[in-house]
Amino acid sequence: MGIFQRIFKRNKNRETVFQGHTEYLRKFQLSKNIDDNRNRLLDIMNNSFDIKSREFNIGGTSLRSAVVYIENLVDEPEVMEHILKPLILESVELISHAKKSEILDIIKDSIISIGDIEDVFTFDEIVLGILSGDTFLCIEGHDRGLLIKIREYEGKPFSIPETEPSVKGPKEGLVETLKRNIGFIRKRVRDPNLTMETFMIGRRTKTDLVMTYIKGIADPDLVEDVRKKLKEIDIDGTVAAIEIGNFMVDRPRSIFPLIQVTERVDKLVAGLLQGRVAVIMNSAPECIIVPATLPILMQSVDDYYESWVAVTLIRATRYLGLFISTLFPSLYIALTSFNPGMLPTKLVLSITGSRVGVPFPAIIEALLMVFTLELLHEAGIRLPNVVGQAVAIVGGLVIGQSAVQAGIVSPIMVIIISITALSAYQIPDYSLSLTTRILRIPFMALASVLGSFGVAIGLLFLIAYLTSLKSFGYRYLSPISPFSLSDFKDTIFKSPRAANTKRPEFLNTQDVVRAKNTESGNKK
Amino acid sequence: MRKDSLKPIQMMTLTVGAIFGVDILYGPRAVASLAKQDAWISVLIGGILAIIIGSVYYFLASLYPDKDLPEIFVLVGGRFFGKILILLNSFNTMVYIALSLRIFAQALLMFLLDRTPIYVIVILMALVSAYSVYKGIYTISGVIDIIFPVCKLTIISVIILSLPQGDISALKPILFENFGNVLKGSMASYYIFTGFSTITYTYRYTENKKGTYKWYLAGLIIPLILFVGLKIATLMVFGQEDVKSLVFPTLTLTKSVEFTATFIERMESTAAILWIIIVYEAISMFLFISVRNINVLFNVPSDKSKYTVWLLLPIIIFTAVIIKSGLKVFEFFEYNRAVMMISGSAVVPVLTLLSYIKKKRSRNRI
């Protein structure tokens, strides 16, 4: 075989492995040496910490055996009760008199008390079985193994993601147990390339952390960057994953969220499939996904469950909301105080009429309303749900109405601030929504001093700042800036699925193609 | 993680951004005075000339793909002569930025902020541009990527919406005993394409050089079309006599656009805000050029080079506000730009020829 053919073949094989296929493992037969088998299995599954391998001697004899399983996918007490205990303690009689060639059948038929057991010979069956929650048993001197189906069919209890509700999507949320969260991911991604690396952070708390990514998709530089940053964290203790995330970002003083925080399992898995890296922490019902760009933070899980036309319109509304949430009060101040000529005469007259009797300039009026809004917001969060709603009604209706009647604020200002508040709430990411609330104040100040020129200058500063911002080395506004047409199909606009078959180019993923274009395939 | 680099398509956005400076507000009155009703043909010829000279600039940049103009000056012209060229170029560019800021501030005073002191507008605009330059070329290109469609759509809208108010007869007779004047006007029109020279500064940052010329060419053709469109629209709406006396014809043109009973009734104030963004593009690009010139001139170490912009800023602001007479500003601006363009158009082709011969000789030796 020529050198070029060999290189080509090796690349092709590597590509197959990275694309998540397990068929290529068919050519690898089970060895009679259990160490070889175990090592090969662990190697295929990237030595992820949750792959458990237990070696033991059957029935007190010198016959070595091993079981391999993923701890979060199997019912571990069942493994102990129905596999390990009978094999180690209750098989002495049967094994000691049996011929070597019969041992595996005896174990299968007479020792393990599980209904569904399958003989396996090649690694493709074994890997797929283990990833599906089966337990693999191999015995020294046998090139045949057993796949014992002790899957946890019922699934583990999950929480409902309250801060990220979805209309149509799955309701599975992360819980406060690390192992269980890893099980949720494993259940959804049966890819041997799904890699889990453990870390311990906190000199005093010694908190367990897991960095997870799909090898062959995620950019190795990104993986290395996250790994390095996790290792560098030196803190006495931590209680939330987001705290760890804030330690890892390049610009910790930035008011923009540079990490994505989620408690949804589907969002986490979608992030991994995009080629991003997630960090899950024990005792934290949320995880962080990096890198986080502004267009990513503006996406909602429901965007992937609806038609592309609807999603495009919703996203356009969302971006408009982002703009309104940041700039609406300042634009109002600029237009009414400095540049009324930009508005139609009737509207100017209407605004002026509504402001008659209001003792404050527009900026003070707006600041009063924004302050009241923030008070209501904080009160709503701190109080229990039922009381929180009452506060919102009292605040929104009673205070608003009374303030207008008392002549402290104009009715139009109440409308402006209400629309601004609504716009902030429709931003999918809470931290980003909070950022727009912060930005509102300097923009209002600029508008009150320099009118629309001030707003334009502020906006230019903001855009320049955003374009210079990076999340783990990736430009924060990608793919809007630097512009990438292929990635733009899933940003403000959402193209039909058939046209959106590749992973984001800006993430520099190793495996670029996500789906074969079935639509064009059918046409052929 | 991918290394930061410019894409070939960004050669278009950056070039267009650099060309549309204050000329989009101001536009040389000399063109209308000379070529009269055929001023648009002068702009067309000036633009074609800019494409030809621009292509020479591009060829020079492509001969040294990892160097920019000041470095090429030193490399080809030698240390002494090269640095003199950089010094002259730096002076011209800084004066260009300062006077652009001043003209922009005057336009804004006239159309948007009649009570704001001129230095406030100049300082703020200079600060925002300097901030982008401080953050680097990728930030400048990133901002231009975002504002590019908004700015260009605004110009197209102004042209389309003002045309119904115009009179086509204002363009007639076409080239009737006026060809000489048209040619004279085309030289003044050529000057408005000053920004094409930025290719010699941005080219080195492109990762994939293939296809850059195509996009650069698009970056020259788009302003050409829009400048011709604006000139036709101003001539049609105001007539050749009035155009001569208008200081800011494009801004005045926006006054002719009215949207009866819609959310925005008049366009001039809205357009004035968008001009802020358009002017920002050119000022940032030229400020970046100045910083590069100064860094090469004084051999500023690369780790300190980004701070140069903050040293240049006070000089630029001072130059912008020092001139008392508003009319003098226009005179100085046109004079400085003419010097800039003529010297550039003379020096760069010679430099390109020398570089080409030098490269060819060294290739032959190998």
Side-chain angles (χ1 to χ4, degrees):
Chain A
M1 194 186 284
I3 190 162
F4 288 107
Q5 279 174 307
R6 263 185 285 163
I7 291 166
F8 179 71
K9 199 178 174 190
R10 193 166 45 197
N11 284 344
K12 202 175 171 186
N13 194 25
R14 185 169 169 265
E15 200 174 277
T16 318
V17 178
F18 281 172
Q19 281 174 355
H21 298 297
T22 49
E23 287 82 5
Y24 79 100
L25 294 166
R26 193 167 294 156
K27 63 183 176 199
F28 298 116
Q29 295 282 329
L30 213 54
S31 154
K32 287 186 179 178
N33 183 325
I34 63 163
D35 292 329
D36 287 351
N37 293 334
R38 276 177 59 200
N39 290 342
R40 174 161 275 173
L41 263 178
L42 291 174
D43 197 36
I44 291 168
M45 302 218 217
N46 299 300
N47 291 302
S48 276
F49 84 100
D50 58 334
I51 314 287
K52 294 290 162 196
S53 168
R54 164 87 158 87
E55 199 188 311
F56 56 94
N57 287 353
I58 296 178
T61 64
S62 59
L63 190 60
R64 287 168 69 220
S65 181
V67 286
V68 182
Y69 58 88
I70 296 174
E71 63 175 338
N72 306 299
L73 293 183
V74 301
D75 196 340
E76 273 192 296
E78 294 275 301
V79 174
M80 300 301 155
E81 186 62 31
H82 297 290
I83 304 173
L84 292 176
K85 195 175 159 193
L87 281 172
I88 297 169
L89 303 174
E90 296 161 10
S91 59
V92 183
E93 286 278 310
L94 290 165
I95 296 294
S96 55
H97 299 106
K99 286 181 192 169
K100 196 183 170 186
S101 58
E102 293 170 347
I103 287 174
L104 208 61
D105 290 321
I106 293 170
I107 288 171
K108 186 180 165 187
D109 300 332
S110 315
I111 298 176
I112 297 173
S113 52
I114 296 292
D116 198 354
I117 303 177
E118 201 180 286
D119 288 328
V120 281
F121 300 91
T122 55
F123 275 86
D124 60 323
E125 301 169 276
I126 299 166
V127 168
L128 194 61
I130 292 173
L131 288 170
S132 306
D134 298 340
T135 303
F136 169 65
L137 172 74
C138 59
I139 296 168
E140 185 72 32
H142 290 259
D143 54 5
R144 176 165 65 110
L146 297 178
L147 212 52
I148 307 154
K149 314 224 166 199
I150 317 185
R151 293 182 192 181
E152 203 186 46
Y153 286 102
E154 284 180 13
K156 294 200 163 68
F158 54 83
S159 69
I160 303 292
E162 282 176 11
T163 56
E164 295 169 274
S166 156
V167 181
K168 281 186 182 170
K171 304 284 179 266
E172 207 172 51
L174 295 171
V175 294
E176 305 208 350
T177 318
L178 182 64
K179 276 188 178 180
R180 208 180 281 179
N181 289 339
I182 289 164
F184 293 149
I185 305 169
R186 284 271 181 211
K187 202 173 78 180
R188 284 168 183 264
V189 186
R190 292 178 184 179
D191 184 345
N193 297 308
L194 177 68
T195 311
M196 310 264 180
E197 292 179 24
T198 51
F199 295 86
M200 195 181 275
I201 284 175
R203 291 189 302 273
R204 292 179 193 281
T205 55
K206 310 253 184 306
T207 312
D208 290 321
L209 276 178
V210 168
M211 174 179 88
T212 179
Y213 59 95
I214 300 177
K215 200 174 181 178
I217 298 180
D219 181 355
D221 289 343
L222 170 68
V223 174
E224 188 50 45
D225 190 28
V226 178
R227 190 185 289 134
K228 191 172 155 249
K229 281 173 175 163
L230 280 172
K231 280 179 185 167
E232 280 171 0
I233 295 173
D234 185 11
I235 186 177
D236 63 341
T238 179
V239 288
I242 189 165
E243 209 181 338
I244 294 297
N246 289 334
F247 267 102
M248 293 160 68
V249 293
D250 304 322
R251 303 264 285 267
R253 276 177 286 180
S254 174
I255 56 166
F256 281 86
L258 298 174
I259 49 167
Q260 188 176 27
V261 180
T262 186
E263 53 181 75
R264 296 188 65 90
V265 179
D266 55 343
K267 208 169 183 175
L268 164 57
V269 170
L272 295 177
L273 289 172
Q274 270 185 326
R276 294 155 73 205
V277 177
V279 177
I280 315 161
M281 196 175 104
N282 198 20
S283 310
E286 80 279 336
C287 73
I288 58 169
I289 315 173
V290 295
T293 62
L294 188 88
I296 287 177
L297 295 173
M298 288 297 283
Q299 290 173 359
S300 153
V301 281
D302 280 321
D303 292 357
Y304 297 92
Y305 308 132
E306 297 291 349
S307 84
W308 64 277
V309 181
V311 172
T312 301
L313 288 171
I314 291 168
R315 278 194 188 166
T317 316
R318 224 178 269 154
Y319 276 90
L320 186 67
L322 182 77
F323 182 80
I324 289 174
S325 175
T326 314
L327 295 175
F328 206 30
S330 54
L331 284 175
Y332 172 76
I333 294 166
L335 293 180
T336 53
S337 310
F338 283 82
N339 315 103
M342 287 167 80
L343 298 172
T345 318
K346 277 185 186 172
L347 184 61
V348 175
L349 289 174
S350 166
I351 292 170
T352 317
S354 74
R355 293 202 76 245
V356 171
V358 177
F360 307 116
I363 175 72
I364 301 291
E365 207 187 342
L367 281 173
L368 272 174
M369 287 305 290
V370 168
F371 178 65
T372 314
L373 182 73
E374 291 305 317
L375 278 181
L376 284 169
H377 192 266
E378 275 306 293
I381 291 174
R382 307 284 162 246
L383 289 167
N385 272 355
V386 185
V387 190
Q389 283 172 7
V391 168
I393 294 165
V394 171
L397 294 177
V398 181
I399 299 180
Q401 181 70 23
S402 310
V404 171
Q405 280 179 351
I408 299 169
V409 291
S410 60
I412 198 135
M413 183 55 89
V414 176
I415 297 170
I416 298 283
I417 297 298
S418 307
I419 293 171
T420 308
L422 276 178
S423 302
Y425 295 138
Q426 58 91 52
I427 297 169
D429 189 87
Y430 179 75
S431 303
L432 188 61
S433 162
L434 206 61
T435 304
T436 63
R437 281 158 57 190
I438 298 166
L439 286 172
R440 221 175 270 164
I441 310 296
F443 270 107
M444 281 161 60
L446 278 171
S448 68
V449 180
L450 292 159
S452 41
F453 173 66
V455 178
I457 287 288
L459 201 57
L460 280 174
F461 259 119
L462 182 64
I463 297 172
Y465 173 73
L466 285 173
T467 45
S468 72
L469 207 56
K470 282 182 176 180
S471 167
F472 288 80
Y474 297 85
R475 294 244 163 219
Y476 195 58
L477 290 185
S478 303
I480 299 170
S481 164
F483 182 73
S484 165
L485 187 65
S486 59
D487 291 354
F488 205 66
K489 291 173 191 167
D490 193 14
T491 46
I492 301 172
F493 305 101
K494 172 94 168 68
S495 60
R497 183 79 196 175
N500 206 359
T501 55
K502 291 184 176 172
R503 282 178 231 286
E505 191 190 326
F506 76 90
L507 285 173
N508 204 21
T509 56
Q510 289 184 290
D511 176 21
V512 178
V513 180
R514 243 195 118 173
K516 297 273 186 287
N517 197 336
T518 47
E519 213 168 73
S520 59
N522 291 342
K523 274 177 196 165
K524 279 173 196 170
Chain B
M1 272 154 277
R2 217 169 253 171
K3 208 179 137 223
D4 278 333
S5 66
L6 295 178
K7 292 181 177 180
I9 191 172
Q10 285 178 306
M11 289 302 104
M12 176 188 75
T13 52
L14 287 171
T15 310
V16 176
I19 292 174
F20 279 125
V22 285
D23 286 299
I24 199 73
L25 321 165
Y26 160 57
R29 274 175 295 171
V31 184
S33 310
L34 287 165
K36 297 186 181 79
Q37 77 279 3
D38 294 322
W40 65 275
I41 301 173
S42 289
V43 176
L44 187 68
I45 296 169
I48 292 165
L49 190 62
I51 292 173
I52 296 163
I53 303 286
S55 300
V56 178
Y57 272 74
Y58 179 86
F59 185 65
L60 177 65
S62 63
L63 285 174
Y64 301 97
D66 56 344
K67 302 239 173 324
D68 53 18
L69 194 62
E71 289 169 332
I72 298 170
F73 276 155
V74 176
L75 200 73
V76 183
R79 208 175 152 75
F80 178 75
F81 190 64
K83 291 223 168 180
I84 286 174
L85 285 176
I86 299 173
L87 192 69
L88 291 173
N89 191 18
S90 304
F91 177 78
N92 275 152
T93 315
M94 281 166 68
V95 172
Y96 178 79
I97 298 167
L99 298 178
S100 293
L101 279 170
R102 176 64 186 263
I103 292 173
F104 163 74
Q106 284 181 197
L108 221 59
L109 277 181
M110 195 178 275
F111 288 86
L112 200 69
L113 301 161
D114 48 353
R115 284 172 295 170
T116 309
I118 212 160
Y119 64 85
V120 173
I121 301 171
V122 168
I123 291 173
L124 281 172
M125 196 63 186
L127 273 176
V128 73
S129 306
Y131 176 73
S132 307
V133 175
Y134 171 72
K135 289 287 175 188
I137 185 71
Y138 305 110
T139 297
I140 301 171
S141 63
V143 178
I144 293 178
D145 269 1
I146 294 170
I147 59 186
F148 180 81
V150 182
C151 298
K152 275 60 220 177
L153 282 175
T154 311
I155 300 168
I156 294 167
S157 311
V158 169
I159 297 169
I160 294 170
L161 294 167
S162 61
L163 282 178
Q165 331 286 327
D167 179 10
I168 191 94
S169 62
L171 302 177
K172 291 176 188 168
I174 295 171
L175 285 176
F176 180 72
E177 293 178 356
N178 198 25
F179 193 70
N181 291 331
V182 168
L183 281 183
K184 278 180 203 162
S186 62
M187 204 53 201
S189 303
Y190 167 65
Y191 300 155
I192 62 177
F193 292 88
T194 323
F196 69 70
S197 61
T198 53
I199 186 71
T200 46
Y201 291 83
T202 52
Y203 184 80
R204 65 181 286 191
Y205 299 99
T206 48
E207 186 188 24
N208 181 12
K209 313 282 185 198
K210 206 177 166 189
T212 43
Y213 182 67
K214 184 181 73 184
W215 289 113
Y216 172 62
L217 210 58
L220 293 172
I221 292 169
I222 292 170
L224 171 61
I225 295 168
L226 294 180
F227 273 130
V228 169
L230 277 173
K231 195 49 87 186
I232 290 174
T234 43
L235 281 168
M236 279 173 64
V237 173
F238 305 116
Q240 49 153 311
E241 286 306 317
D242 284 354
V243 168
K244 277 186 228 167
S245 59
L246 289 173
V247 184
F248 298 110
T250 315
L251 283 176
T252 317
L253 186 70
T254 54
K255 272 190 172 178
S256 67
V257 181
E258 274 191 22
F259 305 96
T260 319
T262 49
F263 186 71
I264 296 168
E265 211 165 59
R266 284 183 297 276
M267 205 182 177
E268 77 262 27
S269 308
T270 318
I273 296 167
L274 290 162
W275 302 139
I276 298 170
I277 300 171
I278 295 173
V279 173
Y280 156 85
E281 294 177 306
I283 289 175
S284 300
M285 282 303 294
F286 279 98
L287 199 52
F288 172 74
I289 285 175
S290 294
V291 169
R292 278 301 303 151
N293 285 339
I294 297 295
N295 283 342
V296 177
L297 186 66
F298 295 107
N299 297 323
V300 180
S302 57
D303 57 323
K304 294 192 174 64
S305 59
K306 66 176 187 173
Y307 300 107
T308 309
V309 66
W310 301 117
L311 294 173
L312 295 186
L313 211 59
I315 305 167
I316 290 170
I317 293 169
F318 181 75
T319 316
V321 295
I322 195 72
I323 306 164
K324 291 241 164 53
S325 158
L327 287 173
K328 281 275 175 209
V329 172
F330 291 105
E331 261 178 50
F332 287 145
F333 181 76
E334 287 194 11
Y335 179 71
N336 178 67
R337 201 173 47 179
V339 171
M340 213 169 149
M341 288 296 274
I342 292 166
S343 59
S345 308
V347 170
V348 170
V350 173
L351 214 63
T352 310
L353 193 68
L354 286 175
S355 306
Y356 182 71
I357 294 166
K358 209 174 168 183
K359 286 248 165 185
K360 209 171 178 187
R361 274 187 192 160
S362 65
R363 230 177 276 148
N364 286 344
R365 252 178 244 148
I366 295 162

